[in-house]
Amino acid sequence: MSGFGPSSTSAKRAAADPTKHVNYVLGMVLGVDDFIQDFAYQSERDRWQARDLLGYGTAWGLAVTTGLGARGPEVRVSPGTALSPRGQLVRVTPAQCASLNDWLKAQGAAIEPNPDEIVRVWVVLSYRECLTDPVPVPGEPCRSEDDAMAPSRVTDDFKLELRLTPPQEPTEEQAVRDLVRWLRTHVVPVGDDTPSGDVTSEADFLTALRAAVVQPVPLAPETDWLDDAAAPMKVPATQVEGYLRAALRVWVTELRALWRPNWLGEAQGCQQPVSAEPDSDVDCVLLAAVDVHVSKELGSTDWVVKAEAPLPIHEDERPYLLHLRLLQEWALAGPLWDTSAVHHPPTLPAYQIVAAGTLPLASFEDSGVQGYNNLRIDKASKGFARLTFDGYQYKPEAWQYVVKVTLQEDEGLGLALPTVTVAGLDSDGIRLRLREREDPMDETSMASMAVIVEVSQYFAGAGPTLKTARAPEPPAPPAPPSRAASRTRRSGGGR
């Protein structure tokens, strides 16, 4: 081997400033740097427009499923497109699949299942590019064959990954969800006959919105960026549009900047060069999370997918974008809700069923049984079970829940006087107490039973709260009721 290696006199180029484009002047000699600069400007403006005006997430396709392939259980992703947080379009085609057993083996000691031997696997998509189409290029003597060729094209590509940790969700995505949730739960339209002292002014409404902001802390595991502790505010039904317009103006001019990632930095091109943020793991799109039941085969140190175990897919946190044509059709021909109750509120507070279902107490974590509005049991032990559902919030000062629950017992179980009662409600959920006579029901008996539940909700602001409400005394009957009537009344009105 000779001691001569390839040499080059070219200097390393600085990153192109994405805020500058070439000022073409007659007689200018254009070089590679000029074309790179112009491309950087044009491509960055496309990404800038996409991330500031559209958002990010799945645009179409990219459905995540599981199945059995040639190498065992696998995760599959269908063709589709997405927009990354940085505004980069990502296209996946054809359909992709990944063997879970091969992936688990490659992770080695990094696999740390929970006590139930479940590993949560995150399916993540990001953009990448690759160099293609090599062509001969002039150069210096003593070059290798590789140095005599250079790629002439840059091709858009994608990267699909299975990860053991979730990607860092853009803070702005969390803030957008919190803003919409805050507006939905804090605006209570009322009629014109509502006393003026009970109505919240627009200025006080905006003050409450600003006061609800939780200041972002870098890398802090916050889950709420708008504190919803404030009680719902009564707004004149005829002025709801004006209040919402004012709230969205505050979001655009004041609040969004708190959580918006600054991909271009603080510099301005006329004063100093702008250097865009480098690519990072933050610029990716979460597609789904898959719970993988794992085990170790006899004599092996590698984790594998447990045979015939389910592979539940979770997409609750998946961001997605609705295209303009769908939003247009929704606005023009989508479902319309009856607004008569808003403009002409009833005397009694609004009352509605918010969750219901029949839920088995056995293997509640793996049964997959869920009720209306995702009513589910999230915790159970001897003589105890806890319920929750989508949108559950404990706010007795704002609204009340009415819980109706009874037991469903397997035929032949033969328990002596089994009962279920509501032990209380708190921020974690609805607590149920299960007893057999006076003792807590054992887990063996609970495993053969289910609870039939219906949860209703009414706003407490329009009437007395649950703590102070008292049913009116029934009027005295003119004559003692018959024995048959008494039986009917007891059986129909008992608790």
Side-chain angles (χ1 to χ4, degrees):
M1 175 179 179
S2 70
F4 296 93
S7 61
S8 175
T9 58
S10 60
K12 184 178 181 180
R13 295 189 182 94
D17 187 334
T19 65
K20 295 179 181 178
H21 61 87
V22 177
N23 180 31
Y24 295 98
V25 179
L26 184 64
M28 175 187 289
V29 178
L30 298 175
V32 172
D33 289 343
D34 298 302
F35 292 107
I36 292 176
Q37 178 62 68
D38 235 25
F39 175 79
Y41 174 79
Q42 297 294 342
S43 61
E44 181 58 35
R45 288 188 72 83
D46 289 343
R47 293 194 292 266
W48 187 3
Q49 177 177 261
R51 62 178 177 256
D52 275 9
L53 301 184
L54 298 179
Y56 93 107
T58 299
W60 67 268
L62 302 177
V64 177
T65 57
T66 59
L68 194 61
R71 299 183 63 81
E74 60 186 21
V75 175
R76 299 165 180 167
V77 178
S78 69
T81 63
L83 200 59
S84 76
R86 192 165 189 162
Q88 183 68 59
L89 275 169
V90 190
R91 174 174 175 260
V92 175
T93 190
Q96 305 293 307
C97 63
S99 169
L100 285 170
N101 283 333
D102 290 349
W103 181 80
L104 289 169
K105 184 177 181 180
Q107 304 310 304
I111 300 292
E112 296 181 359
N114 64 17
D116 296 324
E117 293 193 336
I118 296 177
V119 176
R120 176 154 289 190
V121 178
W122 305 87
V123 186
V124 179
L125 172 67
S126 53
Y127 170 83
R128 72 175 177 184
E129 56 188 29
C130 55
L131 303 176
T132 63
D133 303 315
V135 296
V137 293
E140 302 173 358
C142 302
R143 295 180 301 166
S144 67
E145 185 176 349
D146 292 338
D147 295 329
M149 305 289 288
S152 63
R153 299 291 184 267
V154 181
T155 303
D156 290 336
D157 198 8
F158 65 89
K159 180 170 65 174
L160 271 171
E161 298 177 276
L162 301 179
R163 297 184 184 179
L164 287 171
T165 56
Q168 182 180 343
E169 184 178 32
T171 307
E172 185 185 14
E173 171 70 13
Q174 305 170 34
V176 167
R177 298 185 186 189
D178 284 354
L179 172 71
V180 174
R181 188 180 302 112
W182 193 92
L183 293 176
R184 285 186 178 276
T185 57
H186 285 75
V187 176
V188 180
V190 295
D192 296 334
D193 56 348
T194 304
S196 59
D198 294 339
V199 175
T200 303
S201 67
E202 182 178 305
D204 290 342
F205 176 71
L206 297 181
T207 298
L209 175 58
R210 293 185 178 101
V213 171
V214 178
Q215 292 296 332
V217 178
L219 302 181
E222 297 286 353
T223 55
D224 293 316
W225 298 108
L226 285 173
D227 186 0
D228 56 0
M233 289 165 277
K234 297 179 181 179
V235 174
T238 55
Q239 300 179 35
V240 169
E241 178 183 349
Y243 277 63
L244 293 180
R245 285 183 180 274
L248 295 177
R249 182 184 68 246
V250 170
W251 162 259
V252 169
T253 58
E254 302 177 29
L255 303 186
R256 189 182 180 190
L258 297 174
W259 301 294
R260 184 71 188 151
N262 191 356
W263 295 102
L264 293 178
E266 299 296 336
Q268 177 53 256
C270 291
Q271 305 298 328
Q272 54 183 308
V274 172
S275 179
E277 290 290 329
D279 294 337
S280 67
D281 288 342
V282 178
D283 189 30
C284 61
V285 179
L286 171 65
L287 300 186
V290 182
D291 285 341
V292 182
H293 296 253
V294 297
S295 63
K296 287 185 177 180
E297 296 179 342
L298 186 63
S300 174
T301 59
D302 295 329
W303 292 99
V304 295
V305 180
K306 189 177 296 184
E308 299 182 359
L311 294 170
I313 299 173
H314 306 277
E315 297 182 275
D316 295 345
E317 299 301 320
R318 176 178 186 155
Y320 54 86
L321 290 171
L322 301 179
H323 67 293
L324 186 59
R325 179 66 189 90
L326 186 148
L327 296 177
Q328 173 188 332
E329 191 65 17
W330 181 274
L332 297 178
L336 297 178
W337 291 268
D338 181 14
T339 58
S340 60
V342 174
H343 296 288
H344 306 284
T347 303
L348 296 176
Y351 183 92
Q352 60 180 338
I353 296 174
V354 293
T358 300
L359 307 175
L361 294 169
S363 304
F364 66 93
E365 293 179 317
D366 302 324
S367 66
V369 177
Q370 296 172 342
Y372 166 64
N373 201 19
N374 197 19
L375 177 68
R376 59 197 181 274
I377 298 174
D378 68 346
K379 188 175 182 180
S381 58
K382 181 179 180 180
F384 168 82
R386 188 175 69 195
L387 304 172
T388 189
F389 53 87
D390 288 353
Y392 173 84
Q393 293 184 16
Y394 179 67
K395 289 190 172 183
E397 75 286 354
W399 57 73
Q400 297 288 340
Y401 291 118
V402 178
V403 183
K404 305 171 187 177
V405 58
T406 187
L407 285 172
Q408 183 182 60
E409 179 182 351
D410 277 1
E411 187 176 357
L413 186 59
L415 293 182
L417 198 61
T419 60
V420 58
T421 56
V422 178
L425 291 80
D426 55 28
S427 58
D428 294 326
I430 302 168
R431 304 190 309 277
L432 302 181
R433 181 179 292 117
L434 298 102
R435 291 181 178 275
E436 184 179 0
R437 292 189 183 276
E438 298 300 324
D439 299 322
M441 188 179 298
D442 60 67
E443 295 177 342
T444 302
S445 299
M446 289 174 58
S448 301
M449 309 192 79
V451 288
I452 304 175
V453 185
E454 180 182 284
V455 183
S456 304
Q457 177 186 16
Y458 71 90
F459 286 97
T465 65
L466 187 63
K467 294 180 180 178
T468 60
R470 175 175 293 178
E473 294 293 334
S482 65
R483 192 172 298 174
S486 299
R487 284 199 301 269
T488 302
R489 185 164 57 252
R490 284 198 300 270
S491 63
R495 294 187 178 183

